[in-house]
Amino acid sequence: MTETTETVKGPVRGATDVLTKIDALEKASAAGQGRLDPVILSEATQIVDRAGQRLRMSGELTVVALAGATGSGKSSLFNAMTGLDLAAIGTRRPTSSMPLACVWGEEPAGEVLNWLGIPRRHQVQHRSSLEDAQSEDLDGLILLDLPDHDSIEVEHRLIVDRLVELVDMLVWVVDPQKYADAALHDRYIKPYASHSGVMVFALNHVDKLTPDQRKSCLNDLERLLKTDGLKAPTVVATSAVSGDGLDEVRGLLVKRVSNKRSARERIAADVDRVADRMAKQCGTAKTPEIAEAEVTELVEALSDASGLPVVVDAVRRSYLQRAQAATGWPLTKWIGRFRPDPLRGLQLDEVSRQQGKALRKSATSEVASARISLPAATPVQRARMDSAVRTITDRASAGLSRPWADSVRTQIRRREESLGDELDQAVARTDLGNTTNPGWWGAAKFVQWLLFLVALGGAAWLLAALVARIADAGEVPLPGAGGIAYAWIMLVGGAALGLGLAVLCRLAAVSGAARRARAAEQALRSELEKVADSHVVAPARAELAAYSICRDTLAIARG
């Protein structure tokens, strides 16, 4: 049977509630542990943690960051948007390379600002001299002016990197001379292409361009952004000097602040981004299934390699030998005592005794320490076992992405190394039933000895009569019936009945031995099935179950 690959359509972004997406990403990350790229899994864990922290905070606040390179004019744009003169608050903001936050409205923002890591001296409460509708429409906005992302100071770049991951919306301020900067596109735009809905690109300083240059720059910037992977980038031409585009940017912010969804949309975009990366590693193939016929072949191979036929035959012969010793004619059964018990040759009689003792003590340590002397698996038997393991391994990994296929093989290979020893232990811990004897053995033994004593009594009687005749000591009376002395009836009858009973017991023992052998075979096969499951089938199915969870929850996270 050839495994097929499920056709998975691209997820419809935003179709799934953000809380559901976060939960799905967390489950996918847990399922992918030890299988997928640990760097991506670590990022997924961070996003889940960060999302939980952000969602516990005020949903009335929207965090928007102005980010850009040196000379892009983002601080001037920040001044124009807030109506603040940064030079006038220099005592609060020691350097222009540290983030500054401006908060609109009366909604408490301390928790969010602390989470963002904005010191109090860098926080400004917006106090507009014009209590206009526009100012009120921005109530709940936290506008950040970030350090230059291309600063020569490593600390400043780290601040930008951290806040870019935390804010709800980003306004990238670029100038006509540096909007194609590779550092901006490679470090911040391409990796966050899925965040198109929470990013705005402001082409600043357009007051220095002619109308044709402005149009050309805007078209070229939009082309570059689409090349980076943004499907519908929002691009605005702005100038802090002429005021161009400020109303449009303000309108975008008002819309974001009013719908109170920016935080969730940003989190959803973060989930989409890391879920897409995980999905590329995980794959979308249909989960392979291990056929029962393949499991059966594995059990058969393990049975052959473990010496199961040898043990079953030893159980049968041991039963017959012990039955003869218990129920045979006393004068003939002693011969069997010189034949060793077949199970003793395999040292399984000692295992059974230890097993019974352990069961009485409710312990298994004594059984585990027992040693058996089964023949070593032949090269042919070993090859059959290896082939059966390989068949299941190949089946379980068929069609899976490389990380999952490697994980399946690794988990089975790790347990396969101890498979030989585990087969011996499986035989050792199996209750072969040779520690208990059927009740009829005792009854037969009693009857045999009774008949033997009767025959012995008859023989003694006849012997006494013979000795008396030889010694001329008088006749010993030999009463009888039908002309046959009772002594002869006792001797011949006791012996004949004893031998007949021995034959009947032998026939019953043959049937009992067959049943005991079948029971031992079933018990051994059950133990070997457990070995096959614990060392091959269960590890493979556990990996496939984890794969299914990872694949399905990623589909939800990307929805």
Side-chain angles (χ1 to χ4, degrees), residues 492-511:
V492 176
L497 290 176
L499 290 174
L501 179 60
V503 171
L504 292 176
C505 288
R506 176 69 178 182
L507 294 176
V510 169
S511 176

Side-chain angles (χ1 to χ4, degrees), residues 6-20:
E6 296 173 340
T7 301
V8 179
K9 297 182 180 180
V12 179
R13 300 302 191 195
T16 306
D17 177 76
V18 66
L19 294 177
T20 303

Side-chain angles (χ1 to χ4, degrees), residues 35 67 87 126 167 226 262 439 480 521:
R35 291 110 176 174
H126 185 271
V167 299
K226 289 182 177 179
S262 293
E521 182 177 11

Side-chain angles (χ1 to χ4, degrees), residues 124-200:
V124 179
Q125 191 73 30
H126 185 271
R127 294 286 186 266
S128 176
S129 58
L130 299 175
E131 295 299 328
D132 54 7
Q134 283 187 327
S135 178
E136 293 178 358
D137 287 342
L138 289 177
D139 282 355
L141 171 66
I142 300 177
L143 187 63
L144 305 182
D145 181 16
L146 302 187
D148 302 331
H149 72 76
D150 59 350
S151 172
I152 61 174
E153 296 290 339
V154 175
E155 181 184 358
H156 301 161
R157 296 200 302 271
L158 293 176
I159 292 174
V160 175
D161 291 347
R162 182 176 61 83
L163 290 176
V164 160
E165 293 184 346
L166 298 181
V167 299
D168 304 329
M169 180 179 177
L170 276 163
V171 178
W172 287 104
V173 183
V174 296
D175 65 77
Q177 294 181 347
K178 298 174 65 175
Y179 66 80
D181 181 27
L184 170 64
H185 289 266
D186 294 341
R187 186 176 180 85
Y188 297 107
I189 298 180
K190 288 181 181 179
Y192 291 91
S194 61
H195 292 57
S196 178
V198 293
M199 288 197 294
V200 173

Side-chain angles (χ1 to χ4, degrees), residues 278-298:
M278 289 178 63
K280 289 179 180 179
Q281 282 202 332
C282 179
T284 57
K286 181 180 178 181
T287 305
E289 295 182 0
I290 301 174
E292 289 302 321
E294 294 162 347
V295 178
T296 300
E297 170 57 24
L298 174 61

Side-chain angles (χ1 to χ4, degrees), residues 349-367 369 431 435:
D349 61 333
E350 178 64 21
V351 169
S352 296
R353 282 194 294 271
Q354 291 187 13
Q355 192 173 55
K357 187 187 297 183
L359 290 174
R360 289 191 296 271
K361 293 181 179 180
S362 301
T364 58
S365 57
E366 294 183 75
V367 179
S369 64
D431 182 7
T435 57

Side-chain angles (χ1 to χ4, degrees), residues 322-329 333 440-441 444-445 448 501-502 505:
R322 289 185 296 111
Q324 183 180 4
T327 65
W329 177 241
K333 70 179 182 179
W440 66 268
W441 285 14
K445 185 176 182 178
Q448 283 285 29
L501 179 60
C505 288

